[in-house]
Amino acid sequence: MYADASTDALYELFRIPKSALWVAKDNEENILGCCGIYPTEGLPADCTELVKFYLHKNARGKGIGKALLQQSIQSARQLGYSQVYLETLPEFGTALGIYDQEGFLPLSAPMGNSGHNNCTVWMEKKL
C-alpha cells in the first residue's frame, strides 16, 4: 500500500543536485532510519520536498526521527531553499505531531508532481 519504487534506488536518486539523504545507524552499523530532501518536479525553485522519512520500529521514541528531520531541514537551508514541502498520510499520527512541533503548517492541496497520489495530508514549512 505504501510502496515507492524509488526506494530501491536511493543512491542514484540522491545524486541529483540540491538533494540530501541522512541515514541514522547504531554502533553495529544497523540502519535505524533515514530522511532527506529532494527538488521534486513542479515545486517552486526555492522549495524542496521532505522525502524518504523512514524509521525502524525499534528506533522509535528515541529522538532519532526528530534528529533526522532537523538535519534535513538544516540541509534545505544550507542548499538555499526557503521552504520545505511534504506529503503524508493521516495514519502516520506520530510523524504528523513531529511535523507540527517543527513548524510545518497544513496545506489544502498538493504541490509539485511527486507521484504520491495516495497522500492526503500536505504541509509546508517556511525557512
Side-chain angles (χ1 to χ4, degrees), residues 85-111:
Y85 166 75
L86 67 85
E87 300 177 337
T88 190
L89 297 164
E91 292 86 12
F92 300 138
T94 302
L96 289 170
I98 294 171
Y99 298 143
D100 185 54
Q101 289 173 9
E102 290 298 316
F104 282 85
L105 300 174
L107 297 170
S108 60
M111 295 171 54

Side-chain angles (χ1 to χ4, degrees), residues 14-90:
F14 286 95
R15 293 183 63 146
I16 301 294
K18 294 191 76 174
S19 68
L21 180 70
W22 293 95
V23 178
K25 296 193 260 181
D26 63 17
N27 291 335
E28 287 80 39
E29 296 293 311
N30 297 307
I31 294 175
L32 302 175
C34 62
C35 186
I37 56 166
Y38 189 82
T40 298
E41 181 182 326
L43 290 177
D46 68 338
C47 182
T48 188
E49 184 177 5
L50 186 79
V51 295
K52 309 301 179 210
F53 191 6
Y54 303 119
L55 201 59
H56 189 278
K57 63 182 178 181
N58 295 338
R60 295 179 186 149
K62 299 177 181 178
I64 297 166
K66 187 173 184 176
L68 286 167
L69 175 60
Q70 289 173 340
Q71 185 61 57
S72 295
I73 292 169
Q74 181 62 28
S75 292
R77 281 189 182 99
Q78 291 172 339
L79 290 169
Y81 292 109
S82 63
Q83 60 183 322
V84 178
Y85 166 75
L86 67 85
E87 300 177 337
T88 190
L89 297 164

